[in-house]
Amino acid sequence: MIDVLFEQQVVQNSGLGAETLWHAVSEAYEVKNRVEGMPLLLAFIVLPLAFHKRSANALASKVKPGALYKAVASDREITLGLQERMQALSGRTLQSLSIGFSTGLLLLDSGAEPQLIPGRKSPPTVHVTEEVKTLLSAAKRIGQAIGELPKTQLMTHLNIRF
């Protein structure tokens, strides 16, 4: 019998998750002029949006600034179930963060509010498949939104809570 979740386990693996988080963190760091990183708590929205095909396609096709607003305006349904996806992917996010820290992709600035900063300047690898390129492009748009908007505004706009 074939495992129904096989594709999800292969495609949505923690290694790819770490790279996805790096793209979001790197973009947020650049948007904030390399002064602030991405709040650690907001890392939990990256994989549920980027690993969700409909959300990733909507985000990847938008240009900055305001890509998140444009994506949600074009498809209001991408926020449906986001809270549940965040909860379901929280373990994968933690595994991806662990890989990111252990490989040096991500660094943690543990100030008053812990922040993630990129541990390297360039992407760890170049992908050829369109699906992964779309996923990583969506991650950059998520990072851009995190860099542009306050946490409370993101939570309200995406209809999520922590």
PDB file of all heavy atoms in Angstrom, residues 16-25 38-52 55-56 59 82 86 89 93 116 135-136 138-140 142-143 146 158 160 162:
ATOM      1  N   LEU A  16      14.209  21.400   2.811  1.00  0.00           N
ATOM      2  CA  LEU A  16      13.633  22.408   1.931  1.00  0.00           C
ATOM      3  C   LEU A  16      12.961  23.498   2.773  1.00  0.00           C
ATOM      4  O   LEU A  16      13.002  24.678   2.420  1.00  0.00           O
ATOM      5  CB  LEU A  16      12.628  21.776   0.959  1.00  0.00           C
ATOM      6  CG  LEU A  16      11.975  22.718  -0.043  1.00  0.00           C
ATOM      7  CD1 LEU A  16      13.016  23.419  -0.910  1.00  0.00           C
ATOM      8  CD2 LEU A  16      10.991  21.944  -0.918  1.00  0.00           C
ATOM      9  N   GLY A  17      12.392  23.112   3.889  1.00  0.00           N
ATOM     10  CA  GLY A  17      11.790  24.079   4.801  1.00  0.00           C
ATOM     11  C   GLY A  17      12.827  25.056   5.336  1.00  0.00           C
ATOM     12  O   GLY A  17      12.572  26.261   5.432  1.00  0.00           O
ATOM     13  N   ALA A  18      14.008  24.558   5.662  1.00  0.00           N
ATOM     14  CA  ALA A  18      15.082  25.429   6.150  1.00  0.00           C
ATOM     15  C   ALA A  18      15.489  26.430   5.075  1.00  0.00           C
ATOM     16  O   ALA A  18      15.680  27.616   5.350  1.00  0.00           O
ATOM     17  CB  ALA A  18      16.287  24.593   6.584  1.00  0.00           C
ATOM     18  N   GLU A  19      15.594  25.961   3.852  1.00  0.00           N
ATOM     19  CA  GLU A  19      15.946  26.860   2.746  1.00  0.00           C
ATOM     20  C   GLU A  19      14.829  27.873   2.492  1.00  0.00           C
ATOM     21  O   GLU A  19      15.084  29.052   2.232  1.00  0.00           O
ATOM     22  CB  GLU A  19      16.223  26.058   1.479  1.00  0.00           C
ATOM     23  CG  GLU A  19      16.699  26.925   0.343  1.00  0.00           C
ATOM     24  CD  GLU A  19      17.039  26.139  -0.909  1.00  0.00           C
ATOM     25  OE1 GLU A  19      16.924  24.894  -0.912  1.00  0.00           O
ATOM     26  OE2 GLU A  19      17.411  26.794  -1.895  1.00  0.00           O
ATOM     27  N   THR A  20      13.592  27.427   2.599  1.00  0.00           N
ATOM     28  CA  THR A  20      12.442  28.317   2.426  1.00  0.00           C
ATOM     29  C   THR A  20      12.455  29.402   3.490  1.00  0.00           C
ATOM     30  O   THR A  20      12.254  30.584   3.190  1.00  0.00           O
ATOM     31  CB  THR A  20      11.132  27.503   2.490  1.00  0.00           C
ATOM     32  OG1 THR A  20      11.181  26.483   1.486  1.00  0.00           O
ATOM     33  CG2 THR A  20       9.920  28.373   2.265  1.00  0.00           C
ATOM     34  N   LEU A  21      12.712  29.013   4.718  1.00  0.00           N
ATOM     35  CA  LEU A  21      12.807  29.991   5.805  1.00  0.00           C
ATOM     36  C   LEU A  21      13.950  30.973   5.555  1.00  0.00           C
ATOM     37  O   LEU A  21      13.815  32.170   5.787  1.00  0.00           O
ATOM     38  CB  LEU A  21      12.986  29.286   7.152  1.00  0.00           C
ATOM     39  CG  LEU A  21      11.750  28.588   7.709  1.00  0.00           C
ATOM     40  CD1 LEU A  21      12.124  27.717   8.900  1.00  0.00           C
ATOM     41  CD2 LEU A  21      10.688  29.589   8.093  1.00  0.00           C
ATOM     42  N   TRP A  22      15.089  30.460   5.053  1.00  0.00           N
ATOM     43  CA  TRP A  22      16.215  31.339   4.771  1.00  0.00           C
ATOM     44  C   TRP A  22      15.826  32.419   3.753  1.00  0.00           C
ATOM     45  O   TRP A  22      16.168  33.595   3.929  1.00  0.00           O
ATOM     46  CB  TRP A  22      17.429  30.558   4.256  1.00  0.00           C
ATOM     47  CG  TRP A  22      18.569  31.472   3.942  1.00  0.00           C
ATOM     48  CD1 TRP A  22      19.525  31.935   4.804  1.00  0.00           C
ATOM     49  CD2 TRP A  22      18.841  32.112   2.687  1.00  0.00           C
ATOM     50  NE1 TRP A  22      20.371  32.804   4.158  1.00  0.00           N
ATOM     51  CE2 TRP A  22      19.983  32.931   2.855  1.00  0.00           C
ATOM     52  CE3 TRP A  22      18.238  32.063   1.437  1.00  0.00           C
ATOM     53  CZ2 TRP A  22      20.528  33.687   1.828  1.00  0.00           C
ATOM     54  CZ3 TRP A  22      18.778  32.821   0.400  1.00  0.00           C
ATOM     55  CH2 TRP A  22      19.905  33.629   0.606  1.00  0.00           C
ATOM     56  N   HIS A  23      15.108  32.035   2.698  1.00  0.00           N
ATOM     57  CA  HIS A  23      14.694  33.006   1.681  1.00  0.00           C
ATOM     58  C   HIS A  23      13.792  34.081   2.292  1.00  0.00           C
ATOM     59  O   HIS A  23      13.947  35.273   1.985  1.00  0.00           O
ATOM     60  CB  HIS A  23      13.994  32.306   0.511  1.00  0.00           C
ATOM     61  CG  HIS A  23      14.955  31.694  -0.459  1.00  0.00           C
ATOM     62  ND1 HIS A  23      15.534  32.404  -1.477  1.00  0.00           N
ATOM     63  CD2 HIS A  23      15.445  30.432  -0.555  1.00  0.00           C
ATOM     64  CE1 HIS A  23      16.340  31.612  -2.173  1.00  0.00           C
ATOM     65  NE2 HIS A  23      16.302  30.413  -1.624  1.00  0.00           N
ATOM     66  N   ALA A  24      12.871  33.678   3.151  1.00  0.00           N
ATOM     67  CA  ALA A  24      11.978  34.648   3.799  1.00  0.00           C
ATOM     68  C   ALA A  24      12.754  35.552   4.750  1.00  0.00           C
ATOM     69  O   ALA A  24      12.577  36.774   4.747  1.00  0.00           O
ATOM     70  CB  ALA A  24      10.861  33.919   4.545  1.00  0.00           C
ATOM     71  N   VAL A  25      13.621  34.965   5.554  1.00  0.00           N
ATOM     72  CA  VAL A  25      14.417  35.726   6.519  1.00  0.00           C
ATOM     73  C   VAL A  25      15.346  36.694   5.790  1.00  0.00           C
ATOM     74  O   VAL A  25      15.467  37.867   6.163  1.00  0.00           O
ATOM     75  CB  VAL A  25      15.222  34.773   7.438  1.00  0.00           C
ATOM     76  CG1 VAL A  25      16.276  35.518   8.239  1.00  0.00           C
ATOM     77  CG2 VAL A  25      14.278  34.015   8.361  1.00  0.00           C
ATOM     78  N   MET A  38      13.884  38.964  11.155  1.00  0.00           N
ATOM     79  CA  MET A  38      12.476  38.583  11.158  1.00  0.00           C
ATOM     80  C   MET A  38      12.126  38.044  12.543  1.00  0.00           C
ATOM     81  O   MET A  38      12.850  37.179  13.064  1.00  0.00           O
ATOM     82  CB  MET A  38      12.231  37.493  10.100  1.00  0.00           C
ATOM     83  CG  MET A  38      10.797  37.033  10.029  1.00  0.00           C
ATOM     84  SD  MET A  38      10.499  35.946   8.628  1.00  0.00           S
ATOM     85  CE  MET A  38      10.973  34.381   9.311  1.00  0.00           C
ATOM     86  N   PRO A  39      11.060  38.544  13.169  1.00  0.00           N
ATOM     87  CA  PRO A  39      10.671  38.000  14.472  1.00  0.00           C
ATOM     88  C   PRO A  39      10.498  36.471  14.406  1.00  0.00           C
ATOM     89  O   PRO A  39       9.868  35.965  13.475  1.00  0.00           O
ATOM     90  CB  PRO A  39       9.350  38.690  14.771  1.00  0.00           C
ATOM     91  CG  PRO A  39       9.400  39.962  13.982  1.00  0.00           C
ATOM     92  CD  PRO A  39      10.167  39.613  12.730  1.00  0.00           C
ATOM     93  N   LEU A  40      11.090  35.790  15.354  1.00  0.00           N
ATOM     94  CA  LEU A  40      11.057  34.321  15.364  1.00  0.00           C
ATOM     95  C   LEU A  40       9.632  33.790  15.263  1.00  0.00           C
ATOM     96  O   LEU A  40       9.369  32.831  14.539  1.00  0.00           O
ATOM     97  CB  LEU A  40      11.736  33.796  16.632  1.00  0.00           C
ATOM     98  CG  LEU A  40      11.728  32.288  16.848  1.00  0.00           C
ATOM     99  CD1 LEU A  40      12.469  31.572  15.721  1.00  0.00           C
ATOM    100  CD2 LEU A  40      12.349  31.941  18.187  1.00  0.00           C
ATOM    101  N   LEU A  41       8.717  34.409  15.945  1.00  0.00           N
ATOM    102  CA  LEU A  41       7.328  33.966  15.942  1.00  0.00           C
ATOM    103  C   LEU A  41       6.739  33.940  14.531  1.00  0.00           C
ATOM    104  O   LEU A  41       5.970  33.048  14.185  1.00  0.00           O
ATOM    105  CB  LEU A  41       6.506  34.880  16.845  1.00  0.00           C
ATOM    106  CG  LEU A  41       5.132  34.401  17.261  1.00  0.00           C
ATOM    107  CD1 LEU A  41       5.224  33.078  17.998  1.00  0.00           C
ATOM    108  CD2 LEU A  41       4.472  35.437  18.149  1.00  0.00           C
ATOM    109  N   LEU A  42       7.119  34.896  13.700  1.00  0.00           N
ATOM    110  CA  LEU A  42       6.556  34.975  12.352  1.00  0.00           C
ATOM    111  C   LEU A  42       7.109  33.903  11.406  1.00  0.00           C
ATOM    112  O   LEU A  42       6.591  33.718  10.312  1.00  0.00           O
ATOM    113  CB  LEU A  42       6.759  36.374  11.767  1.00  0.00           C
ATOM    114  CG  LEU A  42       5.969  37.476  12.471  1.00  0.00           C
ATOM    115  CD1 LEU A  42       6.241  38.823  11.831  1.00  0.00           C
ATOM    116  CD2 LEU A  42       4.475  37.175  12.462  1.00  0.00           C
ATOM    117  N   ALA A  43       8.136  33.196  11.832  1.00  0.00           N
ATOM    118  CA  ALA A  43       8.637  32.078  11.022  1.00  0.00           C
ATOM    119  C   ALA A  43       7.545  31.020  10.833  1.00  0.00           C
ATOM    120  O   ALA A  43       7.545  30.293   9.840  1.00  0.00           O
ATOM    121  CB  ALA A  43       9.862  31.451  11.681  1.00  0.00           C
ATOM    122  N   PHE A  44       6.608  30.984  11.754  1.00  0.00           N
ATOM    123  CA  PHE A  44       5.562  29.966  11.698  1.00  0.00           C
ATOM    124  C   PHE A  44       4.505  30.231  10.625  1.00  0.00           C
ATOM    125  O   PHE A  44       3.661  29.371  10.375  1.00  0.00           O
ATOM    126  CB  PHE A  44       4.918  29.783  13.078  1.00  0.00           C
ATOM    127  CG  PHE A  44       5.828  29.073  14.031  1.00  0.00           C
ATOM    128  CD1 PHE A  44       6.718  29.792  14.819  1.00  0.00           C
ATOM    129  CD2 PHE A  44       5.847  27.699  14.115  1.00  0.00           C
ATOM    130  CE1 PHE A  44       7.601  29.151  15.675  1.00  0.00           C
ATOM    131  CE2 PHE A  44       6.710  27.033  14.964  1.00  0.00           C
ATOM    132  CZ  PHE A  44       7.594  27.761  15.750  1.00  0.00           C
ATOM    133  N   ILE A  45       4.551  31.384   9.953  1.00  0.00           N
ATOM    134  CA  ILE A  45       3.615  31.610   8.842  1.00  0.00           C
ATOM    135  C   ILE A  45       4.245  31.273   7.495  1.00  0.00           C
ATOM    136  O   ILE A  45       3.535  31.124   6.500  1.00  0.00           O
ATOM    137  CB  ILE A  45       3.057  33.054   8.803  1.00  0.00           C
ATOM    138  CG1 ILE A  45       4.121  34.068   8.430  1.00  0.00           C
ATOM    139  CG2 ILE A  45       2.354  33.396  10.091  1.00  0.00           C
ATOM    140  CD1 ILE A  45       3.582  35.453   8.134  1.00  0.00           C
ATOM    141  N   VAL A  46       5.569  31.145   7.446  1.00  0.00           N
ATOM    142  CA  VAL A  46       6.261  30.971   6.167  1.00  0.00           C
ATOM    143  C   VAL A  46       5.904  29.644   5.496  1.00  0.00           C
ATOM    144  O   VAL A  46       5.439  29.626   4.344  1.00  0.00           O
ATOM    145  CB  VAL A  46       7.790  31.114   6.339  1.00  0.00           C
ATOM    146  CG1 VAL A  46       8.511  30.841   5.018  1.00  0.00           C
ATOM    147  CG2 VAL A  46       8.145  32.498   6.864  1.00  0.00           C
ATOM    148  N   LEU A  47       6.121  28.531   6.156  1.00  0.00           N
ATOM    149  CA  LEU A  47       5.864  27.228   5.527  1.00  0.00           C
ATOM    150  C   LEU A  47       4.393  27.003   5.206  1.00  0.00           C
ATOM    151  O   LEU A  47       4.081  26.496   4.124  1.00  0.00           O
ATOM    152  CB  LEU A  47       6.419  26.091   6.393  1.00  0.00           C
ATOM    153  CG  LEU A  47       7.931  26.100   6.638  1.00  0.00           C
ATOM    154  CD1 LEU A  47       8.363  24.835   7.364  1.00  0.00           C
ATOM    155  CD2 LEU A  47       8.717  26.293   5.372  1.00  0.00           C
ATOM    156  N   PRO A  48       3.454  27.374   6.085  1.00  0.00           N
ATOM    157  CA  PRO A  48       2.043  27.170   5.731  1.00  0.00           C
ATOM    158  C   PRO A  48       1.605  27.947   4.491  1.00  0.00           C
ATOM    159  O   PRO A  48       0.721  27.507   3.763  1.00  0.00           O
ATOM    160  CB  PRO A  48       1.286  27.654   6.970  1.00  0.00           C
ATOM    161  CG  PRO A  48       2.249  27.495   8.082  1.00  0.00           C
ATOM    162  CD  PRO A  48       3.595  27.787   7.477  1.00  0.00           C
ATOM    163  N   LEU A  49       2.228  29.077   4.231  1.00  0.00           N
ATOM    164  CA  LEU A  49       1.895  29.828   3.016  1.00  0.00           C
ATOM    165  C   LEU A  49       2.682  29.303   1.811  1.00  0.00           C
ATOM    166  O   LEU A  49       2.128  29.110   0.735  1.00  0.00           O
ATOM    167  CB  LEU A  49       2.166  31.322   3.213  1.00  0.00           C
ATOM    168  CG  LEU A  49       1.171  32.084   4.076  1.00  0.00           C
ATOM    169  CD1 LEU A  49       1.691  33.474   4.421  1.00  0.00           C
ATOM    170  CD2 LEU A  49      -0.182  32.177   3.374  1.00  0.00           C
ATOM    171  N   ALA A  50       3.985  29.084   1.991  1.00  0.00           N
ATOM    172  CA  ALA A  50       4.828  28.673   0.870  1.00  0.00           C
ATOM    173  C   ALA A  50       4.583  27.227   0.441  1.00  0.00           C
ATOM    174  O   ALA A  50       4.680  26.914  -0.748  1.00  0.00           O
ATOM    175  CB  ALA A  50       6.302  28.860   1.226  1.00  0.00           C
ATOM    176  N   PHE A  51       4.259  26.346   1.374  1.00  0.00           N
ATOM    177  CA  PHE A  51       4.011  24.939   1.035  1.00  0.00           C
ATOM    178  C   PHE A  51       2.567  24.692   0.596  1.00  0.00           C
ATOM    179  O   PHE A  51       2.199  23.561   0.312  1.00  0.00           O
ATOM    180  CB  PHE A  51       4.332  24.027   2.223  1.00  0.00           C
ATOM    181  CG  PHE A  51       5.803  23.749   2.420  1.00  0.00           C
ATOM    182  CD1 PHE A  51       6.221  22.993   3.491  1.00  0.00           C
ATOM    183  CD2 PHE A  51       6.765  24.241   1.555  1.00  0.00           C
ATOM    184  CE1 PHE A  51       7.564  22.709   3.699  1.00  0.00           C
ATOM    185  CE2 PHE A  51       8.114  23.972   1.747  1.00  0.00           C
ATOM    186  CZ  PHE A  51       8.514  23.198   2.822  1.00  0.00           C
ATOM    187  N   HIS A  52       1.760  25.716   0.548  1.00  0.00           N
ATOM    188  CA  HIS A  52       0.364  25.617   0.108  1.00  0.00           C
ATOM    189  C   HIS A  52       0.324  26.105  -1.342  1.00  0.00           C
ATOM    190  O   HIS A  52       0.600  27.271  -1.617  1.00  0.00           O
ATOM    191  CB  HIS A  52      -0.512  26.475   1.021  1.00  0.00           C
ATOM    192  CG  HIS A  52      -1.963  26.391   0.745  1.00  0.00           C
ATOM    193  ND1 HIS A  52      -2.657  27.443   0.191  1.00  0.00           N
ATOM    194  CD2 HIS A  52      -2.855  25.396   0.941  1.00  0.00           C
ATOM    195  CE1 HIS A  52      -3.923  27.094   0.064  1.00  0.00           C
ATOM    196  NE2 HIS A  52      -4.069  25.864   0.508  1.00  0.00           N
ATOM    197  N   SER A  55      -1.610  29.341  -2.292  1.00  0.00           N
ATOM    198  CA  SER A  55      -0.993  30.525  -1.696  1.00  0.00           C
ATOM    199  C   SER A  55       0.334  30.849  -2.375  1.00  0.00           C
ATOM    200  O   SER A  55       0.617  32.010  -2.684  1.00  0.00           O
ATOM    201  CB  SER A  55      -0.747  30.308  -0.203  1.00  0.00           C
ATOM    202  OG  SER A  55      -1.942  30.029   0.469  1.00  0.00           O
ATOM    203  N   ALA A  56       1.150  29.825  -2.584  1.00  0.00           N
ATOM    204  CA  ALA A  56       2.460  30.030  -3.209  1.00  0.00           C
ATOM    205  C   ALA A  56       2.317  30.612  -4.613  1.00  0.00           C
ATOM    206  O   ALA A  56       3.035  31.540  -4.981  1.00  0.00           O
ATOM    207  CB  ALA A  56       3.234  28.719  -3.253  1.00  0.00           C
ATOM    208  N   LEU A  59       1.219  34.296  -4.325  1.00  0.00           N
ATOM    209  CA  LEU A  59       2.296  35.167  -3.839  1.00  0.00           C
ATOM    210  C   LEU A  59       3.428  35.303  -4.847  1.00  0.00           C
ATOM    211  O   LEU A  59       3.931  36.405  -5.072  1.00  0.00           O
ATOM    212  CB  LEU A  59       2.846  34.630  -2.513  1.00  0.00           C
ATOM    213  CG  LEU A  59       1.965  34.849  -1.302  1.00  0.00           C
ATOM    214  CD1 LEU A  59       2.369  33.925  -0.173  1.00  0.00           C
ATOM    215  CD2 LEU A  59       2.030  36.300  -0.860  1.00  0.00           C
ATOM    216  N   LEU A  82      -5.494  28.935   7.147  1.00  0.00           N
ATOM    217  CA  LEU A  82      -4.088  29.244   7.438  1.00  0.00           C
ATOM    218  C   LEU A  82      -3.740  28.951   8.892  1.00  0.00           C
ATOM    219  O   LEU A  82      -2.686  28.393   9.180  1.00  0.00           O
ATOM    220  CB  LEU A  82      -3.765  30.696   7.081  1.00  0.00           C
ATOM    221  CG  LEU A  82      -2.325  31.148   7.342  1.00  0.00           C
ATOM    222  CD1 LEU A  82      -1.330  30.271   6.589  1.00  0.00           C
ATOM    223  CD2 LEU A  82      -2.154  32.606   6.949  1.00  0.00           C
ATOM    224  N   MET A  86      -0.876  26.428  10.015  1.00  0.00           N
ATOM    225  CA  MET A  86       0.214  26.838  10.906  1.00  0.00           C
ATOM    226  C   MET A  86       0.390  25.823  12.034  1.00  0.00           C
ATOM    227  O   MET A  86       1.516  25.431  12.353  1.00  0.00           O
ATOM    228  CB  MET A  86      -0.070  28.217  11.516  1.00  0.00           C
ATOM    229  CG  MET A  86       0.194  29.370  10.608  1.00  0.00           C
ATOM    230  SD  MET A  86      -0.285  30.960  11.329  1.00  0.00           S
ATOM    231  CE  MET A  86       0.379  30.903  12.967  1.00  0.00           C
ATOM    232  N   LEU A  89       1.755  22.475  10.636  1.00  0.00           N
ATOM    233  CA  LEU A  89       3.150  22.523  10.189  1.00  0.00           C
ATOM    234  C   LEU A  89       4.107  23.073  11.250  1.00  0.00           C
ATOM    235  O   LEU A  89       5.280  23.308  10.954  1.00  0.00           O
ATOM    236  CB  LEU A  89       3.262  23.355   8.910  1.00  0.00           C
ATOM    237  CG  LEU A  89       2.773  22.687   7.626  1.00  0.00           C
ATOM    238  CD1 LEU A  89       2.749  23.663   6.462  1.00  0.00           C
ATOM    239  CD2 LEU A  89       3.646  21.492   7.294  1.00  0.00           C
ATOM    240  N   THR A  93       8.107  23.272  10.955  1.00  0.00           N
ATOM    241  CA  THR A  93       8.783  24.566  11.073  1.00  0.00           C
ATOM    242  C   THR A  93       9.908  24.483  12.104  1.00  0.00           C
ATOM    243  O   THR A  93      11.015  24.971  11.865  1.00  0.00           O
ATOM    244  CB  THR A  93       7.781  25.684  11.439  1.00  0.00           C
ATOM    245  OG1 THR A  93       6.804  25.795  10.400  1.00  0.00           O
ATOM    246  CG2 THR A  93       8.478  27.021  11.624  1.00  0.00           C
ATOM    247  N   LEU A 116      15.288  36.250  13.705  1.00  0.00           N
ATOM    248  CA  LEU A 116      16.088  35.431  12.810  1.00  0.00           C
ATOM    249  C   LEU A 116      16.806  36.342  11.829  1.00  0.00           C
ATOM    250  O   LEU A 116      16.209  37.284  11.293  1.00  0.00           O
ATOM    251  CB  LEU A 116      15.199  34.465  12.029  1.00  0.00           C
ATOM    252  CG  LEU A 116      14.422  33.445  12.854  1.00  0.00           C
ATOM    253  CD1 LEU A 116      13.409  32.724  11.983  1.00  0.00           C
ATOM    254  CD2 LEU A 116      15.371  32.454  13.492  1.00  0.00           C
ATOM    255  N   LEU A 135       7.791  28.081  -4.923  1.00  0.00           N
ATOM    256  CA  LEU A 135       7.778  28.025  -3.461  1.00  0.00           C
ATOM    257  C   LEU A 135       8.771  29.030  -2.871  1.00  0.00           C
ATOM    258  O   LEU A 135       8.439  29.783  -1.954  1.00  0.00           O
ATOM    259  CB  LEU A 135       8.130  26.592  -3.059  1.00  0.00           C
ATOM    260  CG  LEU A 135       8.160  26.186  -1.615  1.00  0.00           C
ATOM    261  CD1 LEU A 135       7.713  24.742  -1.521  1.00  0.00           C
ATOM    262  CD2 LEU A 135       9.522  26.330  -1.026  1.00  0.00           C
ATOM    263  N   LEU A 136       9.977  29.092  -3.422  1.00  0.00           N
ATOM    264  CA  LEU A 136      11.000  29.994  -2.895  1.00  0.00           C
ATOM    265  C   LEU A 136      10.683  31.452  -3.227  1.00  0.00           C
ATOM    266  O   LEU A 136      10.958  32.351  -2.430  1.00  0.00           O
ATOM    267  CB  LEU A 136      12.384  29.601  -3.415  1.00  0.00           C
ATOM    268  CG  LEU A 136      12.867  28.217  -2.967  1.00  0.00           C
ATOM    269  CD1 LEU A 136      14.226  27.907  -3.574  1.00  0.00           C
ATOM    270  CD2 LEU A 136      12.899  28.082  -1.463  1.00  0.00           C
ATOM    271  N   ALA A 138       7.636  32.599  -3.441  1.00  0.00           N
ATOM    272  CA  ALA A 138       6.584  32.921  -2.465  1.00  0.00           C
ATOM    273  C   ALA A 138       7.204  33.235  -1.107  1.00  0.00           C
ATOM    274  O   ALA A 138       6.782  34.169  -0.415  1.00  0.00           O
ATOM    275  CB  ALA A 138       5.592  31.764  -2.354  1.00  0.00           C
ATOM    276  N   ALA A 139       8.228  32.483  -0.721  1.00  0.00           N
ATOM    277  CA  ALA A 139       8.903  32.731   0.559  1.00  0.00           C
ATOM    278  C   ALA A 139       9.513  34.129   0.586  1.00  0.00           C
ATOM    279  O   ALA A 139       9.460  34.820   1.607  1.00  0.00           O
ATOM    280  CB  ALA A 139       9.973  31.672   0.807  1.00  0.00           C
ATOM    281  N   LYS A 140      10.074  34.550  -0.529  1.00  0.00           N
ATOM    282  CA  LYS A 140      10.644  35.909  -0.599  1.00  0.00           C
ATOM    283  C   LYS A 140       9.553  36.955  -0.419  1.00  0.00           C
ATOM    284  O   LYS A 140       9.748  37.955   0.276  1.00  0.00           O
ATOM    285  CB  LYS A 140      11.348  36.114  -1.934  1.00  0.00           C
ATOM    286  CG  LYS A 140      12.640  35.353  -2.064  1.00  0.00           C
ATOM    287  CD  LYS A 140      13.254  35.577  -3.428  1.00  0.00           C
ATOM    288  CE  LYS A 140      14.485  34.719  -3.614  1.00  0.00           C
ATOM    289  NZ  LYS A 140      15.082  34.901  -4.940  1.00  0.00           N
ATOM    290  N   ILE A 142       6.771  36.569   1.219  1.00  0.00           N
ATOM    291  CA  ILE A 142       6.359  36.506   2.626  1.00  0.00           C
ATOM    292  C   ILE A 142       7.357  37.297   3.478  1.00  0.00           C
ATOM    293  O   ILE A 142       6.973  38.090   4.332  1.00  0.00           O
ATOM    294  CB  ILE A 142       6.243  35.040   3.105  1.00  0.00           C
ATOM    295  CG1 ILE A 142       5.157  34.303   2.324  1.00  0.00           C
ATOM    296  CG2 ILE A 142       5.970  34.987   4.610  1.00  0.00           C
ATOM    297  CD1 ILE A 142       5.238  32.789   2.422  1.00  0.00           C
ATOM    298  N   GLY A 143       8.638  37.083   3.222  1.00  0.00           N
ATOM    299  CA  GLY A 143       9.673  37.824   3.946  1.00  0.00           C
ATOM    300  C   GLY A 143       9.562  39.310   3.715  1.00  0.00           C
ATOM    301  O   GLY A 143       9.736  40.116   4.636  1.00  0.00           O
ATOM    302  N   ILE A 146       6.732  40.588   5.801  1.00  0.00           N
ATOM    303  CA  ILE A 146       7.134  40.621   7.204  1.00  0.00           C
ATOM    304  C   ILE A 146       8.026  41.833   7.464  1.00  0.00           C
ATOM    305  O   ILE A 146       7.944  42.471   8.512  1.00  0.00           O
ATOM    306  CB  ILE A 146       7.819  39.299   7.615  1.00  0.00           C
ATOM    307  CG1 ILE A 146       6.773  38.177   7.649  1.00  0.00           C
ATOM    308  CG2 ILE A 146       8.541  39.436   8.950  1.00  0.00           C
ATOM    309  CD1 ILE A 146       7.350  36.784   7.801  1.00  0.00           C
ATOM    310  N   LEU A 158      -4.006  38.362   7.742  1.00  0.00           N
ATOM    311  CA  LEU A 158      -4.004  36.930   7.436  1.00  0.00           C
ATOM    312  C   LEU A 158      -5.008  36.154   8.295  1.00  0.00           C
ATOM    313  O   LEU A 158      -5.163  34.947   8.121  1.00  0.00           O
ATOM    314  CB  LEU A 158      -2.610  36.348   7.625  1.00  0.00           C
ATOM    315  CG  LEU A 158      -1.543  36.852   6.651  1.00  0.00           C
ATOM    316  CD1 LEU A 158      -0.176  36.335   7.055  1.00  0.00           C
ATOM    317  CD2 LEU A 158      -1.896  36.451   5.228  1.00  0.00           C
ATOM    318  N   ILE A 160      -4.906  35.354  11.572  1.00  0.00           N
ATOM    319  CA  ILE A 160      -4.214  34.343  12.382  1.00  0.00           C
ATOM    320  C   ILE A 160      -3.954  34.905  13.768  1.00  0.00           C
ATOM    321  O   ILE A 160      -4.048  36.103  13.997  1.00  0.00           O
ATOM    322  CB  ILE A 160      -2.879  33.912  11.750  1.00  0.00           C
ATOM    323  CG1 ILE A 160      -1.978  35.136  11.506  1.00  0.00           C
ATOM    324  CG2 ILE A 160      -3.112  33.134  10.447  1.00  0.00           C
ATOM    325  CD1 ILE A 160      -0.567  34.802  11.079  1.00  0.00           C
ATOM    326  N   PHE A 162      -1.369  34.000  17.482  1.00  0.00           N
ATOM    327  CA  PHE A 162      -0.274  33.205  18.058  1.00  0.00           C
ATOM    328  C   PHE A 162      -0.550  32.940  19.509  1.00  0.00           C
ATOM    329  O   PHE A 162      -1.189  33.667  20.195  1.00  0.00           O
ATOM    330  CB  PHE A 162       1.064  33.944  17.922  1.00  0.00           C
ATOM    331  CG  PHE A 162       1.543  34.030  16.505  1.00  0.00           C
ATOM    332  CD1 PHE A 162       1.351  35.177  15.765  1.00  0.00           C
ATOM    333  CD2 PHE A 162       2.174  32.959  15.909  1.00  0.00           C
ATOM    334  CE1 PHE A 162       1.786  35.274  14.462  1.00  0.00           C
ATOM    335  CE2 PHE A 162       2.616  33.044  14.607  1.00  0.00           C
ATOM    336  CZ  PHE A 162       2.419  34.203  13.880  1.00  0.00           C
TER     337      PHE A 162
END
